[in-house]
Amino acid sequence: MFNKVIKLIIAVGILAYAVYQFTEGNIGNGIALILLASVFVFLYFKNEFILLAFLKLRKQDFDGAKKWLDKIKNPEAALVKKQQGYYNYLHGIMVSQSNMNEAEKFFKKAISLGLSMDHDLAMAKLNLAGIAFSKRRKQEAQKLLTEATKLDKQGILTDQIKMMKQNMKRSAGPNQHYGAGGSLRAQKRRG
């Protein structure tokens, strides 16, 4: 695992050697070295372990994704800000299966650091809405659900958002008791 600055230093070094190859007349070597340098620049912006963790999550392999994320020892030093957001987002998804309090912390940190894709941000807010709703913070859940709806421009999460809204409506209804319930005074009047 390379530090993010080391990746750029390696890319600049390879690029300098590519320029040297061009001046020596080795055009093919120079082009190949420029392509190699571009790999390190790409990995500066898209961390290799986060990409591999996303691939494992796509296959529903949570243990494999956790293994790849655990290879990132110091996220602040190794990742740029957006990558730190995705690091926390992925941890939030994996932890949400077992520990909602921990997942809430990861999702909030991911949102504060920023996610580059709107549907990822919508997914994080939808998960936070579900956590807030389960903790009986209905106003916060409603606000997060509205934000998730606005961010879901392609309609990827439409079904999940509808399901969450239906669950919120069901639980928000009045608790009506039919039959002989109520106070003693009301029961005497009926009788």
Side-chain angles (χ1 to χ4, degrees), residues 6-147:
I6 293 173
K7 291 177 186 177
L8 288 180
I9 292 170
I10 291 172
V12 168
I14 292 172
L15 196 60
Y17 191 65
V19 170
Y20 171 74
Q21 289 293 316
F22 282 128
T23 59
E24 291 293 314
N26 299 324
I27 306 297
N29 289 348
I31 292 172
L33 288 169
I34 287 176
L35 292 174
L36 181 62
S38 67
V39 169
F40 282 97
V41 172
F42 173 76
L43 292 177
Y44 174 81
F45 291 107
K46 303 288 184 190
N47 185 277
E48 60 274 12
F49 294 126
I50 291 177
L51 291 172
L52 292 168
F54 263 117
L55 289 174
K56 290 290 186 180
L57 272 181
R58 184 170 283 188
K59 296 177 182 178
Q60 299 294 317
D61 182 9
F62 289 99
D63 293 331
K66 182 165 178 32
K67 186 176 81 173
W68 282 114
L69 284 179
D70 287 343
K71 291 186 186 249
I72 302 172
K73 301 296 182 206
N74 186 3
E76 287 78 23
L79 306 173
V80 295
K81 190 175 176 184
K82 294 273 186 191
Q83 291 173 349
Q84 290 176 33
Y86 277 102
Y87 175 81
N88 286 295
Y89 172 71
L90 290 172
H91 268 295
I93 290 173
M94 291 185 298
V95 171
S96 67
Q97 307 296 319
S98 59
N99 187 347
M100 286 196 315
N101 291 329
E102 194 73 23
E104 183 177 20
K105 291 177 191 173
F106 281 123
F107 283 128
K108 283 184 177 180
K109 191 168 182 183
I111 289 171
S112 69
L113 290 168
L115 299 170
S116 55
M117 305 283 244
D118 280 344
H119 65 272
D120 291 333
L121 192 56
M123 181 67 160
K125 290 192 180 213
L126 181 64
N127 280 314
L128 274 176
I131 292 169
F133 180 67
S134 68
K135 291 183 174 184
R136 300 194 187 282
R137 299 187 316 233
K138 293 181 184 179
Q139 289 179 340
E140 180 184 351
Q142 187 63 42
K143 179 184 168 212
L144 287 165
L145 195 60
T146 304
E147 291 174 9

Side-chain angles (χ1 to χ4, degrees), residues 118-123 126 145-161:
D118 280 344
H119 65 272
D120 291 333
L121 192 56
M123 181 67 160
L126 181 64
L145 195 60
T146 304
E147 291 174 9
T149 305
K150 288 178 186 173
L151 288 167
D152 186 32
K153 295 173 184 152
Q154 284 106 11
I156 297 171
L157 302 172
T158 305
D159 294 336
Q160 290 89 340
I161 291 172

